[in-house]
Amino acid sequence: MLKKTGFLLLLSVGFISIKAQQTIPFRVTKYNNIIVKTLVNKKDSLDLMFQIAMKDGAISPERQRKADHIVFNKEEISEHNTVDIGSMSWRDFTFTDNQLSGLESDGKIGTGLFEGKTFKIDYDSNQFVIYDQKPDLKGFQPIKVTFENEVFHIFGDNVLDGAKQQETSFALQSGYSGGILYSNDFAEKYDLNKKLKIIGEKTLKNSSNKLLMIKQGILPSFQIGDFVFKDAPVGFFAGELKTQHVSYFGADMMRRFIWVFDADRKMAYIKPSQYYSEPYYKIN
């Protein structure tokens, strides 16, 4: 009888541990963007790009699929929408209209999927994992994060020209296909146009469809936690439009790690993913 009771207890514990987490599958495009298949308002099947730098969602004017059941007001806002992914459902998602998104997507969806929960971005298994309790973090390195206005910020060390490391804050930006992108302030303060080997210039559009001039250079060394990247291509904003006040840690750098973010958004935990040593993404 004791053996039977013990066996049933083990089954119960196993069942509880399985139920303590849920998964959301995704795919990673050749542009390093994460795409999640969603059903919005039980009617619109949309491929939405995961944007870690926002909470809710947005619909792109360049979408390939119809979003006829998302009703926007005069301010191009739609509230109280439902989102279904597999067997999971969310209510009260807000969508903004006419925001550009990554290629192969109909719009964006943010961290509202994980509100109040610890979650993992697993680039090795192509899935998000949502936890009800803190998971096993063996093999992960902790790094401090700040979470302000629905945006995660981390710190990285930058070596420009043999000088000492210059620590700066980066906003995690999974919508930007490239790696490190410096703000106007950082670029001017450290004179990146002269201190970096310049390898090109690109013109990009932001989510509001404004054109931004970006120069590309080679950074001798970049470090996050104990992880060091040598001769990394980086971008910085140039030209007269000086509106970029935040540096980005983009999708090409994010994909090089598996990430776990704690529920109170004060710590993240990282370890190398299968993409850690992949060639750097080239912005065309």
Side-chain angles (χ1 to χ4, degrees):
M1 186 67 180
L2 288 175
K3 289 184 178 180
K4 185 176 180 180
T5 302
F7 179 69
L8 290 174
L9 181 60
L10 286 174
L11 284 179
S12 299
V13 170
F15 179 76
I16 291 171
S17 65
I18 291 173
K19 285 297 184 181
Q21 66 185 54
Q22 294 175 296
T23 60
I24 298 174
F26 61 71
R27 66 180 176 91
V28 181
T29 71
K30 66 180 180 180
Y31 311 103
N32 298 327
N33 299 138
I34 290 174
I35 304 294
V36 182
K37 287 190 172 296
T38 67
L39 182 65
V40 180
N41 294 333
K42 310 296 182 181
K43 298 287 186 179
D44 297 324
S45 297
L46 301 173
D47 282 5
L48 299 181
M49 181 195 77
F50 173 66
Q51 172 54 283
I52 197 170
M54 67 189 298
K55 177 184 176 181
D56 289 301
I59 299 301
S60 171
E62 299 178 353
R63 62 185 177 272
Q64 298 299 309
R65 297 163 187 82
K66 293 182 179 181
D68 296 340
H69 298 86
I70 305 175
V71 180
F72 295 96
N73 61 23
K74 293 181 180 179
E75 286 73 39
E76 299 188 327
I77 301 295
S78 177
E79 300 178 321
H80 309 303
N81 297 280
T82 64
V83 174
D84 294 308
I85 304 174
S87 62
M88 301 177 66
S89 297
W90 292 261
R91 296 182 178 181
D92 288 331
F93 248 93
T94 297
F95 282 89
T96 303
D97 201 9
N98 291 316
Q99 280 195 16
L100 292 181
S101 185
L103 295 173
E104 302 183 22
S105 74
D106 303 307
K108 299 176 285 190
I109 195 162
T111 57
L113 295 173
F114 318 115
E115 191 164 17
K117 301 287 188 179
T118 295
F119 72 97
K120 177 196 285 185
I121 307 175
D122 190 340
Y123 285 96
D124 286 354
S125 300
N126 282 354
Q127 65 181 10
F128 298 107
V129 185
I130 306 171
Y131 300 97
D132 289 330
Q133 51 193 325
K134 193 171 183 177
D136 180 9
L137 295 169
K138 183 178 180 180
F140 284 84
Q141 181 178 142
I143 58 172
K144 290 183 178 180
V145 298
T146 58
F147 190 62
E148 300 175 354
N149 300 319
E150 308 300 336
V151 178
F152 288 96
H153 296 263
I154 62 171
F155 286 90
D157 287 322
N158 314 269
V159 177
L160 300 174
D161 56 358
K164 67 178 182 178
Q165 293 178 335
Q166 306 292 344
E167 185 182 66
T168 192
S169 173
F170 293 87
L172 297 186
Q173 175 51 272
S174 58
Y176 172 61
S177 297
I180 296 167
L181 185 60
Y182 293 109
S183 68
N184 295 120
D185 294 339
F186 188 93
E188 292 181 359
K189 181 178 180 179
Y190 296 107
D191 202 6
L192 298 188
N193 198 42
K194 293 182 179 179
K195 290 185 177 181
L196 297 182
K197 177 184 177 182
I198 305 302
I199 59 174
E201 293 184 0
K202 302 293 179 184
T203 300
L204 301 179
K205 292 181 181 180
N206 64 14
S207 61
S208 301
N209 210 21
K210 293 182 180 179
L211 296 178
L212 300 171
M213 176 64 70
I214 295 177
K215 287 193 174 184
Q216 293 177 298
I218 299 296
L219 183 71
S221 179
F222 176 82
Q223 183 171 349
I224 172 175
D226 294 334
F227 301 101
V228 178
F229 297 87
K230 297 291 187 181
D231 297 325
V234 299
F236 60 94
F237 292 94
E240 296 182 357
L241 186 61
K242 302 183 185 302
T243 58
Q244 187 62 34
H245 304 297
V246 179
S247 296
Y248 287 159
F249 193 85
D252 184 42
M253 294 300 292
M254 285 194 64
R255 71 180 179 128
R256 298 174 190 276
F257 299 96
I258 296 173
W259 300 76
V260 176
F261 297 89
D262 67 6
D264 63 9
R265 309 300 187 242
K266 293 182 179 179
M267 293 291 295
Y269 305 85
I270 58 174
K271 70 176 182 180
S273 74
Q274 62 182 329
Y275 301 110
Y276 183 78
S277 300
E278 286 288 300
Y280 293 108
Y281 178 80
K282 294 182 179 179
I283 299 177
N284 296 320

